Coordinates of all heavy atoms in Angstrom, one line a residue:
M1 N 0.8 -1.2 0.0 CA 0.0 0.0 0.0 C 0.9 1.2 0.0 O 2.0 1.2 0.5 CB -0.9 0.0 1.2 CG -2.0 -1.0 1.2 SD -3.1 -0.9 2.6 CE -4.1 0.5 2.2
N2 N 0.3 2.3 -0.6 CA 1.1 3.6 -0.6 C 0.4 4.6 0.3 O -0.8 4.9 0.2 CB 1.0 4.1 -2.1 CG 1.9 5.3 -2.3 OD1 2.4 5.8 -1.3 ND2 2.0 5.7 -3.5
F3 N 1.3 5.1 1.2 CA 0.8 6.1 2.2 C 1.4 7.5 1.9 O 1.5 8.3 2.8 CB 1.0 5.6 3.6 CG 0.1 4.5 4.0 CD1 0.6 3.2 3.8 CD2 -1.1 4.7 4.5 CE1 -0.2 2.1 4.2 CE2 -1.9 3.6 4.9 CZ -1.5 2.3 4.7
K4 N 1.8 7.7 0.7 CA 2.4 9.0 0.3 C 1.7 10.2 0.8 O 0.5 10.3 0.6 CB 2.6 9.1 -1.2 CG 3.5 10.2 -1.6 CD 4.0 10.1 -3.0 CE 4.7 11.4 -3.5 NZ 5.5 12.1 -2.5
D5 N 2.4 11.0 1.6 CA 1.9 12.2 2.2 C 0.8 12.1 3.2 O 0.2 13.1 3.6 CB 1.5 13.2 1.1 CG 2.7 13.6 0.3 OD1 3.8 13.7 0.8 OD2 2.6 13.9 -0.9
K6 N 0.5 10.8 3.6 CA -0.5 10.7 4.7 C 0.3 11.0 6.0 O 1.5 10.8 6.1 CB -0.9 9.2 4.8 CG -1.8 8.8 3.6 CD -3.1 9.4 3.6 CE -4.0 8.9 2.5 NZ -5.2 9.8 2.2
V7 N -0.4 11.6 6.9 CA 0.2 12.0 8.2 C -0.3 11.0 9.3 O -1.5 10.9 9.5 CB -0.2 13.5 8.6 CG1 0.4 13.8 9.9 CG2 0.3 14.4 7.5
V8 N 0.7 10.3 9.8 CA 0.4 9.2 10.8 C 1.0 9.5 12.1 O 2.2 9.7 12.2 CB 0.9 7.9 10.2 CG1 0.6 6.8 11.2 CG2 0.4 7.6 8.8
I9 N 0.2 9.6 13.2 CA 0.7 9.7 14.5 C 0.9 8.2 15.1 O -0.1 7.5 15.0 CB -0.2 10.5 15.4 CG1 -0.3 11.9 14.9 CG2 0.2 10.4 16.9 CD1 -1.3 12.8 15.6
V10 N 2.0 7.9 15.6 CA 2.2 6.7 16.3 C 2.6 6.9 17.8 O 3.7 7.4 18.1 CB 3.3 5.8 15.6 CG1 3.4 4.4 16.3 CG2 3.1 5.7 14.1
T11 N 1.7 6.7 18.7 CA 2.0 6.8 20.1 C 2.9 5.7 20.5 O 2.7 4.5 20.1 CB 0.8 7.0 21.0 OG1 0.1 5.7 21.0 CG2 -0.2 8.0 20.5
G12 N 3.9 6.0 21.4 CA 4.8 4.9 21.8 C 5.7 4.5 20.6 O 6.1 3.3 20.5
G13 N 5.9 5.4 19.7 CA 6.6 5.1 18.4 C 8.1 5.0 18.5 O 8.8 4.9 17.5
G14 N 8.7 5.0 19.7 CA 10.1 5.0 19.9 C 10.7 3.6 20.0 O 11.9 3.4 19.6
Q15 N 9.9 2.7 20.5 CA 10.5 1.3 20.8 C 9.4 0.3 20.4 O 8.2 0.6 20.3 CB 10.8 1.2 22.2 CG 11.9 2.0 22.7 CD 12.1 2.0 24.2 OE1 12.8 1.2 24.8 NE2 11.3 2.9 24.9
G16 N 9.9 -1.0 20.3 CA 9.0 -2.1 20.1 C 8.1 -2.1 18.9 O 8.6 -1.7 17.8
I17 N 6.9 -2.4 19.1 CA 5.9 -2.5 18.0 C 5.7 -1.1 17.4 O 5.7 -1.0 16.1 CB 4.6 -3.1 18.5 CG1 4.8 -4.5 19.0 CG2 3.5 -3.0 17.4 CD1 3.6 -5.0 19.9
G18 N 5.6 -0.1 18.2 CA 5.4 1.3 17.7 C 6.6 1.7 16.8 O 6.4 2.4 15.8
R19 N 7.8 1.4 17.2 CA 9.0 1.7 16.4 C 8.9 1.1 15.0 O 9.1 1.8 14.0 CB 10.2 1.2 17.1 CG 11.5 1.6 16.5 CD 12.7 1.2 17.3 NE 13.9 1.8 16.9 CZ 14.7 1.3 15.9 NH1 14.4 0.2 15.4 NH2 15.8 2.0 15.6
C20 N 8.5 -0.1 15.0 CA 8.4 -0.8 13.7 C 7.2 -0.2 12.8 O 7.3 -0.1 11.6 CB 8.1 -2.3 13.9 SG 9.5 -3.2 14.6
I21 N 6.1 0.1 13.5 CA 4.9 0.7 12.8 C 5.4 2.0 12.2 O 5.1 2.3 11.0 CB 3.7 0.8 13.8 CG1 3.2 -0.5 14.2 CG2 2.7 1.7 13.1 CD1 2.1 -0.4 15.3
A22 N 6.1 2.8 13.0 CA 6.5 4.1 12.5 C 7.4 4.0 11.3 O 7.2 4.6 10.2 CB 7.2 4.9 13.6
Q23 N 8.4 3.1 11.4 CA 9.3 2.9 10.3 C 8.6 2.3 9.0 O 8.9 2.7 7.9 CB 10.4 1.9 10.7 CG 11.3 2.5 11.7 CD 12.3 1.5 12.3 OE1 12.4 0.3 11.8 NE2 13.1 1.9 13.2
T24 N 7.6 1.4 9.2 CA 6.9 0.9 8.1 C 6.1 1.9 7.3 O 6.1 2.0 6.1 CB 6.0 -0.3 8.5 OG1 6.9 -1.3 9.2 CG2 5.3 -1.0 7.3
F25 N 5.3 2.7 8.1 CA 4.6 3.8 7.5 C 5.5 4.7 6.7 O 5.2 5.2 5.6 CB 3.7 4.6 8.5 CG 2.4 4.0 8.7 CD1 2.0 3.4 9.9 CD2 1.4 4.0 7.7 CE1 0.8 2.9 10.1 CE2 0.1 3.5 7.9 CZ -0.2 2.9 9.1
A26 N 6.6 5.1 7.3 CA 7.6 6.0 6.7 C 8.1 5.4 5.4 O 8.3 6.1 4.4 CB 8.7 6.4 7.7
S27 N 8.4 4.1 5.4 CA 8.9 3.5 4.2 C 7.9 3.4 3.1 O 8.2 3.2 1.9 CB 9.4 2.1 4.5 OG 8.3 1.2 4.7
K28 N 6.6 3.6 3.4 CA 5.5 3.7 2.4 C 5.1 5.1 2.1 O 4.1 5.3 1.5 CB 4.3 2.9 2.9 CG 4.6 1.5 3.4 CD 4.7 0.6 2.2 CE 5.0 -0.9 2.7 NZ 5.4 -1.8 1.6
G29 N 6.0 6.1 2.5 CA 5.8 7.4 2.1 C 5.0 8.3 3.0 O 4.8 9.5 2.7
A30 N 4.6 7.8 4.2 CA 3.9 8.6 5.2 C 4.8 9.6 5.9 O 6.0 9.4 6.0 CB 3.2 7.7 6.2
K31 N 4.2 10.7 6.4 CA 4.9 11.6 7.3 C 4.5 11.1 8.7 O 3.3 11.1 9.0 CB 4.5 13.0 7.1 CG 4.9 13.5 5.7 CD 4.2 14.8 5.3 CE 4.7 15.2 3.9 NZ 4.0 16.5 3.5
V32 N 5.5 10.7 9.5 CA 5.2 10.0 10.8 C 5.5 10.9 12.0 O 6.6 11.5 12.1 CB 6.0 8.7 10.9 CG1 5.7 8.0 12.2 CG2 5.7 7.8 9.7
V33 N 4.6 11.0 12.9 CA 4.8 11.7 14.1 C 5.0 10.7 15.2 O 4.2 9.8 15.4 CB 3.7 12.7 14.5 CG1 3.9 13.3 15.9 CG2 3.5 13.7 13.5
I34 N 6.2 10.7 15.8 CA 6.6 9.8 16.9 C 6.2 10.4 18.2 O 6.9 11.3 18.7 CB 8.0 9.4 16.8 CG1 8.4 8.8 15.5 CG2 8.4 8.5 18.0 CD1 9.9 8.7 15.2
A35 N 5.1 10.0 18.8 CA 4.6 10.6 20.1 C 5.0 9.7 21.2 O 4.4 8.7 21.4 CB 3.1 10.8 20.0
E36 N 6.1 10.0 21.8 CA 6.8 9.1 22.7 C 7.3 9.8 24.0 O 7.7 10.9 24.0 CB 8.0 8.5 21.9 CG 9.1 7.8 22.7 CD 8.5 6.5 23.2 OE1 8.0 5.6 22.5 OE2 8.7 6.3 24.5
I37 N 7.2 9.0 25.1 CA 7.6 9.6 26.4 C 9.1 9.5 26.6 O 9.6 10.3 27.4 CB 6.8 8.8 27.6 CG1 6.9 9.6 28.9 CG2 7.3 7.4 27.7 CD1 5.9 9.1 29.9
D38 N 9.7 8.5 26.0 CA 11.1 8.3 26.1 C 11.9 9.1 25.1 O 11.9 8.7 23.9 CB 11.4 6.8 26.0 CG 12.9 6.4 26.2 OD1 13.8 7.3 25.8 OD2 13.2 5.3 26.7
D39 N 12.5 10.2 25.5 CA 13.1 11.1 24.5 C 14.2 10.4 23.7 O 14.3 10.6 22.5 CB 13.7 12.3 25.2 CG 12.6 13.2 25.8 OD1 11.4 12.9 25.6 OD2 13.0 14.3 26.4
E40 N 15.1 9.7 24.4 CA 16.2 9.0 23.7 C 15.6 8.1 22.6 O 16.1 8.1 21.4 CB 17.0 8.2 24.7 CG 18.3 7.8 24.2 CD 19.1 7.0 25.2 OE1 18.9 7.2 26.4 OE2 20.0 6.2 24.8
A41 N 14.6 7.3 22.9 CA 14.1 6.3 21.9 C 13.4 7.1 20.8 O 13.5 6.7 19.6 CB 13.1 5.4 22.6
G42 N 12.6 8.1 21.2 CA 11.9 8.9 20.1 C 12.8 9.5 19.2 O 12.6 9.5 17.9
L43 N 13.9 10.2 19.7 CA 14.9 10.9 18.8 C 15.6 9.9 18.0 O 15.9 10.1 16.8 CB 15.8 11.7 19.7 CG 15.2 13.0 20.2 CD1 16.2 13.6 21.3 CD2 15.0 14.0 19.1
E44 N 15.9 8.7 18.6 CA 16.7 7.7 17.8 C 15.9 7.2 16.6 O 16.4 7.1 15.5 CB 17.1 6.5 18.7 CG 18.0 5.5 18.1 CD 17.4 4.5 17.2 OE1 16.2 4.2 17.4 OE2 18.1 4.1 16.2
N45 N 14.6 7.0 16.8 CA 13.8 6.5 15.7 C 13.5 7.6 14.7 O 13.5 7.3 13.5 CB 12.4 5.9 16.2 CG 11.8 5.0 15.2 OD1 12.5 4.4 14.3 ND2 10.5 4.8 15.3
E46 N 13.4 8.8 15.1 CA 13.2 10.0 14.2 C 14.5 10.0 13.3 O 14.3 10.1 12.0 CB 13.1 11.3 15.0 CG 13.0 12.5 14.1 CD 13.2 13.8 14.9 OE1 14.3 14.0 15.5 OE2 12.2 14.6 15.0
E47 N 15.7 9.9 13.9 CA 16.9 10.0 13.1 C 17.0 8.8 12.2 O 17.4 8.9 11.0 CB 18.1 10.0 14.1 CG 19.4 10.3 13.4 CD 20.6 10.2 14.4 OE1 20.4 10.3 15.6 OE2 21.7 10.0 13.9
Y48 N 16.6 7.6 12.7 CA 16.7 6.4 11.8 C 15.8 6.5 10.6 O 16.3 6.3 9.4 CB 16.2 5.2 12.6 CG 16.2 3.9 11.8 CD1 17.4 3.0 11.9 CD2 15.2 3.5 11.1 CE1 17.4 1.9 11.1 CE2 15.2 2.3 10.3 CZ 16.3 1.5 10.3 OH 16.3 0.4 9.6
I49 N 14.6 7.0 10.8 CA 13.7 7.2 9.6 C 14.2 8.2 8.7 O 14.2 8.0 7.4 CB 12.3 7.5 10.1 CG1 11.6 6.3 10.8 CG2 11.4 8.1 9.0 CD1 10.4 6.6 11.6
R50 N 14.7 9.3 9.2 CA 15.2 10.4 8.3 C 16.5 9.9 7.5 O 16.6 10.2 6.3 CB 15.6 11.6 9.1 CG 14.3 12.4 9.6 CD 14.7 13.6 10.4 NE 13.5 14.3 10.8 CZ 13.5 15.4 11.6 NH1 14.6 15.9 12.0 NH2 12.4 16.0 11.9
K51 N 17.4 9.2 8.2 CA 18.6 8.6 7.5 C 18.2 7.7 6.4 O 19.0 7.5 5.5 CB 19.5 7.9 8.5 CG 20.4 8.9 9.2 CD 21.4 8.1 10.0 CE 22.4 9.0 10.7 NZ 23.1 8.3 11.9
N52 N 17.0 7.1 6.5 CA 16.6 6.1 5.5 C 15.7 6.7 4.5 O 14.9 6.0 3.8 CB 16.0 4.9 6.2 CG 17.1 4.0 6.8 OD1 17.7 3.2 6.1 ND2 17.3 4.1 8.1
G53 N 15.7 8.0 4.5 CA 14.9 8.7 3.4 C 13.5 9.1 3.7 O 12.7 9.5 2.9
G54 N 13.1 8.8 5.0 CA 11.7 9.0 5.3 C 11.5 10.4 6.0 O 12.5 11.1 6.3
E55 N 10.3 10.6 6.3 CA 9.9 11.9 7.0 C 9.4 11.6 8.4 O 8.4 10.8 8.5 CB 8.8 12.6 6.2 CG 8.3 13.9 6.8 CD 9.3 15.0 6.9 OE1 10.1 15.2 5.9 OE2 9.3 15.7 7.9
A56 N 10.0 12.1 9.4 CA 9.5 11.8 10.8 C 9.7 13.0 11.7 O 10.7 13.8 11.5 CB 10.3 10.6 11.3
L57 N 8.9 13.1 12.7 CA 9.0 14.2 13.7 C 8.7 13.6 15.1 O 7.7 13.0 15.3 CB 7.9 15.3 13.4 CG 7.7 16.4 14.5 CD1 8.9 17.3 14.4 CD2 6.4 17.1 14.3
F58 N 9.7 13.7 15.9 CA 9.5 13.3 17.3 C 8.9 14.4 18.1 O 9.4 15.5 18.1 CB 10.9 12.8 17.9 CG 10.8 12.7 19.4 CD1 10.0 11.8 20.1 CD2 11.6 13.6 20.2 CE1 10.0 11.8 21.5 CE2 11.6 13.6 21.6 CZ 10.7 12.6 22.2
V59 N 7.9 14.1 18.9 CA 7.3 15.1 19.9 C 7.2 14.4 21.2 O 6.5 13.3 21.3 CB 5.9 15.6 19.4 CG1 5.5 16.6 20.4 CG2 6.0 16.1 18.0
H60 N 7.9 14.9 22.2 CA 7.9 14.3 23.5 C 6.4 14.3 24.0 O 5.8 15.4 24.0 CB 8.7 15.1 24.6 CG 8.5 14.6 26.0 ND1 9.2 13.6 26.5 CD2 7.6 15.0 26.9 CE1 8.8 13.3 27.7 NE2 7.8 14.2 28.0
T61 N 5.9 13.2 24.3 CA 4.5 13.1 24.7 C 4.3 12.0 25.7 O 4.7 10.8 25.5 CB 3.6 12.7 23.5 OG1 3.9 13.5 22.4 CG2 2.1 12.8 23.8
D62 N 3.6 12.4 26.8 CA 3.1 11.4 27.8 C 1.6 11.3 27.4 O 0.9 12.3 27.7 CB 3.3 11.8 29.2 CG 2.7 10.8 30.2 OD1 1.9 9.9 29.8 OD2 3.1 10.9 31.4
V63 N 1.1 10.2 26.9 CA -0.3 10.1 26.4 C -1.3 10.2 27.6 O -2.4 10.4 27.4 CB -0.5 8.8 25.6 CG1 0.3 8.9 24.3 CG2 -0.3 7.6 26.4
A64 N -0.7 10.0 28.8 CA -1.6 10.2 30.0 C -1.9 11.6 30.4 O -2.7 11.9 31.3 CB -1.1 9.4 31.1
L65 N -1.1 12.5 29.8 CA -1.2 13.9 30.1 C -2.0 14.7 29.0 O -1.4 14.8 27.9 CB 0.1 14.6 30.4 CG 0.9 14.0 31.5 CD1 2.3 14.7 31.6 CD2 0.2 14.2 32.8
E66 N -3.1 15.3 29.3 CA -3.9 16.0 28.3 C -3.1 17.1 27.6 O -3.1 17.3 26.4 CB -5.1 16.6 29.0 CG -6.1 17.2 28.0 CD -7.4 17.7 28.6 OE1 -7.6 17.4 29.8 OE2 -8.1 18.5 28.0
E67 N -2.3 17.8 28.5 CA -1.5 19.0 28.0 C -0.5 18.5 26.9 O -0.3 19.1 25.9 CB -0.8 19.6 29.1 CG -0.2 21.0 28.8 CD 0.4 21.6 30.1 OE1 -0.2 21.5 31.2 OE2 1.5 22.1 30.0
D68 N 0.2 17.3 27.2 CA 1.2 16.8 26.2 C 0.5 16.4 24.9 O 1.0 16.6 23.8 CB 1.8 15.5 26.8 CG 3.0 15.8 27.7 OD1 3.2 17.0 28.1 OD2 3.8 14.9 27.9
V69 N -0.7 15.8 25.0 CA -1.4 15.3 23.8 C -1.8 16.5 23.0 O -1.7 16.5 21.8 CB -2.6 14.4 24.2 CG1 -3.4 14.1 23.0 CG2 -2.2 13.2 24.9
K70 N -2.4 17.6 23.7 CA -2.7 18.8 22.9 C -1.5 19.4 22.2 O -1.6 19.8 21.1 CB -3.4 19.8 23.9 CG -4.8 19.5 24.2 CD -5.3 20.6 25.2 CE -6.8 20.4 25.5 NZ -7.3 21.2 26.6
N71 N -0.4 19.5 22.9 CA 0.8 20.0 22.4 C 1.3 19.2 21.1 O 1.6 19.7 20.1 CB 1.9 20.0 23.4 CG 3.3 20.5 22.9 OD1 3.4 21.6 22.3 ND2 4.3 19.6 22.9
M72 N 1.2 17.9 21.3 CA 1.6 17.0 20.2 C 0.7 17.2 18.9 O 1.2 17.2 17.8 CB 1.6 15.5 20.7 CG 2.0 14.5 19.7 SD 0.7 13.9 18.7 CE -0.3 13.0 19.9
V73 N -0.6 17.3 19.2 CA -1.5 17.5 18.0 C -1.3 18.8 17.4 O -1.2 19.0 16.2 CB -3.0 17.4 18.5 CG1 -4.0 17.9 17.5 CG2 -3.3 15.9 18.9
N74 N -1.0 19.9 18.2 CA -0.8 21.2 17.7 C 0.5 21.2 16.8 O 0.6 21.8 15.8 CB -0.6 22.2 18.8 CG -2.0 22.6 19.4 OD1 -3.0 22.4 18.8 ND2 -2.0 23.1 20.6
K75 N 1.6 20.5 17.3 CA 2.8 20.5 16.6 C 2.7 19.7 15.3 O 3.3 20.0 14.3 CB 3.9 19.8 17.4 CG 4.4 20.7 18.5 CD 5.9 20.5 18.8 CE 6.4 21.7 19.7 NZ 7.0 21.3 21.0
T76 N 1.8 18.7 15.3 CA 1.6 17.9 14.1 C 0.9 18.8 13.0 O 1.3 18.8 11.9 CB 0.6 16.7 14.4 OG1 1.3 15.9 15.4 CG2 0.3 15.9 13.2
I77 N -0.1 19.5 13.5 CA -0.9 20.4 12.5 C 0.1 21.5 12.0 O 0.1 21.8 10.8 CB -2.1 21.0 13.2 CG1 -3.1 19.9 13.6 CG2 -2.8 22.0 12.3 CD1 -3.7 19.1 12.5
E78 N 0.8 22.1 13.0 CA 1.8 23.2 12.6 C 2.8 22.7 11.5 O 3.1 23.4 10.5 CB 2.6 23.6 13.8 CG 2.0 24.7 14.6 CD 2.8 24.8 15.9 OE1 4.0 24.7 15.9 OE2 2.2 25.0 16.9
T79 N 3.2 21.4 11.7 CA 4.3 20.9 10.8 C 3.8 20.3 9.5 O 4.3 20.5 8.4 CB 5.1 19.8 11.6 OG1 5.6 20.3 12.8 CG2 6.3 19.4 10.8
Y80 N 2.7 19.5 9.6 CA 2.2 18.8 8.5 C 0.8 19.2 8.0 O 0.4 18.7 6.9 CB 2.2 17.3 8.8 CG 3.6 16.7 9.0 CD1 3.9 15.9 10.1 CD2 4.7 17.0 8.2 CE1 5.1 15.4 10.4 CE2 5.9 16.5 8.4 CZ 6.1 15.7 9.5 OH 7.4 15.2 9.7
G81 N 0.1 20.0 8.8 CA -1.2 20.6 8.3 C -2.4 19.7 8.5 O -3.5 20.2 8.2
K82 N -2.2 18.4 8.9 CA -3.4 17.6 9.0 C -3.0 16.3 9.8 O -1.8 16.1 10.1 CB -3.9 17.2 7.6 CG -2.9 16.4 6.8 CD -3.4 15.9 5.5 CE -2.4 15.1 4.7 NZ -2.9 14.4 3.6
I83 N -4.0 15.5 10.1 CA -3.8 14.2 10.7 C -4.7 13.2 9.9 O -5.9 13.4 9.8 CB -4.2 14.1 12.2 CG1 -3.3 15.1 13.0 CG2 -4.1 12.7 12.7 CD1 -3.8 15.4 14.4
D84 N -4.1 12.1 9.4 CA -4.8 11.1 8.6 C -5.1 9.9 9.5 O -6.2 9.3 9.4 CB -4.1 10.8 7.3 CG -4.1 11.9 6.3 OD1 -5.1 12.4 6.0 OD2 -3.0 12.3 6.0
I85 N -4.1 9.5 10.2 CA -4.2 8.1 10.9 C -3.6 8.3 12.3 O -2.5 8.9 12.4 CB -3.4 7.1 10.1 CG1 -4.0 6.9 8.7 CG2 -3.4 5.7 10.8 CD1 -3.2 6.0 7.7
L86 N -4.2 7.7 13.3 CA -3.7 7.6 14.6 C -3.5 6.1 15.0 O -4.4 5.4 15.0 CB -4.6 8.3 15.6 CG -4.3 8.0 17.1 CD1 -2.9 8.6 17.5 CD2 -5.4 8.5 18.0
I87 N -2.2 5.8 15.3 CA -2.0 4.4 15.8 C -1.8 4.6 17.3 O -0.8 5.1 17.8 CB -0.7 3.9 15.2 CG1 -0.7 3.9 13.7 CG2 -0.5 2.4 15.7 CD1 -1.8 3.0 13.0
N88 N -2.8 4.1 18.1 CA -2.8 4.3 19.5 C -2.1 3.1 20.2 O -2.8 2.2 20.7 CB -4.3 4.4 19.9 CG -4.5 5.0 21.3 OD1 -3.5 5.6 21.8 ND2 -5.6 4.8 21.9
N89 N -0.8 3.2 20.1 CA 0.0 2.0 20.5 C 0.6 2.1 21.9 O 0.9 1.0 22.5 CB 1.1 1.8 19.5 CG 2.2 1.0 19.9 OD1 2.1 -0.3 19.9 ND2 3.3 1.6 20.3
A90 N 0.9 3.3 22.4 CA 1.6 3.4 23.7 C 0.9 2.6 24.8 O -0.3 2.6 24.9 CB 1.7 4.9 24.1
G91 N 1.7 2.0 25.6 CA 1.2 1.3 26.7 C 2.3 0.5 27.4 O 3.4 0.5 26.9
I92 N 2.0 0.0 28.6 CA 3.0 -0.8 29.3 C 2.3 -2.1 29.6 O 1.1 -2.2 29.9 CB 3.4 -0.1 30.6 CG1 2.2 0.4 31.4 CG2 4.4 1.1 30.3 CD1 2.6 0.9 32.8
G93 N 3.2 -3.1 29.6 CA 2.7 -4.5 29.9 C 3.4 -5.0 31.1 O 4.5 -4.5 31.5
S94 N 2.8 -5.9 31.8 CA 3.5 -6.5 32.9 C 3.1 -8.0 32.9 O 2.0 -8.4 32.6 CB 3.0 -5.9 34.2 OG 1.7 -6.0 34.4
G95 N 4.1 -8.8 33.3 CA 3.9 -10.2 33.3 C 3.4 -10.7 34.7 O 3.2 -9.9 35.6
G96 N 3.1 -12.0 34.7 CA 2.7 -12.6 36.0 C 1.4 -13.2 35.9 O 0.8 -13.2 34.8
T97 N 0.9 -13.7 37.0 CA -0.4 -14.3 37.0 C -1.5 -13.3 37.1 O -1.2 -12.1 37.4 CB -0.6 -15.3 38.2 OG1 -0.6 -14.5 39.4 CG2 0.5 -16.3 38.2
I98 N -2.7 -13.6 36.9 CA -3.8 -12.6 37.0 C -3.8 -12.0 38.5 O -4.1 -10.8 38.6 CB -5.2 -13.3 36.7 CG1 -6.3 -12.2 36.6 CG2 -5.5 -14.4 37.6 CD1 -6.2 -11.3 35.5
Y99 N -3.4 -12.8 39.4 CA -3.4 -12.4 40.8 C -2.3 -11.3 41.1 O -2.5 -10.3 41.7 CB -3.2 -13.6 41.8 CG -4.3 -14.6 41.6 CD1 -4.1 -15.8 41.0 CD2 -5.7 -14.3 42.0 CE1 -5.1 -16.7 40.8 CE2 -6.7 -15.2 41.8 CZ -6.4 -16.4 41.2 OH -7.4 -17.3 40.9
T100 N -1.1 -11.6 40.6 CA 0.0 -10.6 40.8 C -0.2 -9.4 40.0 O 0.1 -8.3 40.5 CB 1.4 -11.2 40.4 OG1 1.3 -11.7 39.1 CG2 1.8 -12.4 41.3
I101 N -0.8 -9.5 38.8 CA -1.1 -8.2 38.0 C -2.1 -7.4 38.7 O -2.0 -6.2 38.8 CB -1.6 -8.6 36.6 CG1 -0.4 -9.3 35.8 CG2 -2.1 -7.4 35.8 CD1 -0.8 -9.9 34.5
L102 N -3.2 -8.0 39.2 CA -4.3 -7.2 39.8 C -3.8 -6.6 41.1 O -4.3 -5.6 41.5 CB -5.5 -8.1 40.1 CG -6.3 -8.5 38.8 CD1 -7.3 -9.5 39.2 CD2 -6.9 -7.3 38.2
S103 N -2.8 -7.2 41.8 CA -2.3 -6.6 43.1 C -1.3 -5.5 42.9 O -0.8 -4.9 43.8 CB -1.8 -7.7 44.0 OG -0.7 -8.3 43.4
Q104 N -0.9 -5.2 41.6 CA 0.2 -4.2 41.4 C -0.4 -2.8 41.5 O -1.5 -2.6 41.2 CB 0.8 -4.4 39.9 CG 1.7 -5.5 39.9 CD 2.2 -5.8 38.5 OE1 1.9 -5.2 37.5 NE2 3.1 -6.8 38.4
Ligands
NAD1 N1 4.5 -7.1 23.0 C1 3.3 -7.9 23.2 O1 3.4 -9.1 23.2 C2 2.0 -7.2 23.4 C3 0.9 -7.9 23.6 C4 -0.4 -7.3 23.8 C5 -0.4 -5.9 23.8 N2 0.7 -5.2 23.6 C6 0.6 -3.7 23.6 O2 1.2 -3.2 22.4 C7 1.8 -2.0 22.7 C8 3.2 -2.0 22.3 O3 3.9 -3.0 23.0 P1 5.5 -3.2 22.9 O4 5.7 -4.6 23.2 O5 6.0 -2.7 21.6 O6 5.9 -2.3 24.1 P2 7.3 -1.5 24.4 O7 7.4 -1.3 25.8 O8 8.4 -2.2 23.6 O9 7.0 -0.1 23.7 C9 6.0 0.7 24.2 C10 6.4 2.2 23.9 O10 5.5 3.0 24.5 C11 6.1 4.1 25.2 N3 5.3 4.6 26.2 C12 4.9 4.0 27.4 N4 4.1 4.8 28.1 C13 3.9 5.9 27.4 C14 3.2 7.1 27.6 N5 2.5 7.2 28.7 N6 3.2 8.0 26.6 C15 3.9 7.8 25.5 N7 4.6 6.7 25.2 C16 4.6 5.8 26.2 C17 7.4 3.4 25.7 O11 8.4 4.4 26.0 C18 7.8 2.6 24.5 O12 8.6 3.3 23.6 C19 1.5 -1.7 24.2 O13 0.4 -0.9 24.4 C20 1.3 -3.1 24.7 O14 0.6 -3.1 25.9 C21 1.9 -5.8 23.4

């Protein structure tokens, strides 16, 4: 599929599944916003995508903070003028049994 000039926000786009999603959209022509709480990971993926000929913008974002999300959306609109796709990927997982997870 071709995502040329589509604007895609990937929350948690610095590492893991989100990192791969961001790189894949960028490789298909999308402009990718990496909305990530971990600055080092977000910047690293922004640089990786740009070095590989893609378009990416890292915006420090904690998706649990309304102010951060508003700022990230404003920066996306300022930079790319629109939003086409949101990949709501950010999250944390924890292992263990149902009992240990519920008691955390
Ligand atoms: N890996 C799995 O097997 C699996 C299974 C089911 C669901 N998931 C879900 O898929 C998503 C990605 O999983 P993953 O394995 O790639 O995880 P990961 O920990 O490798 O990556 C998650 C990314 O989200 C970022 N992040 C965490 N909290 C954030 C916040 N508040 N605001 C912005 N960014 C934040 C992290 O810094 C990290 O870069 C998660 O939501 C996870 O719960 C993963």
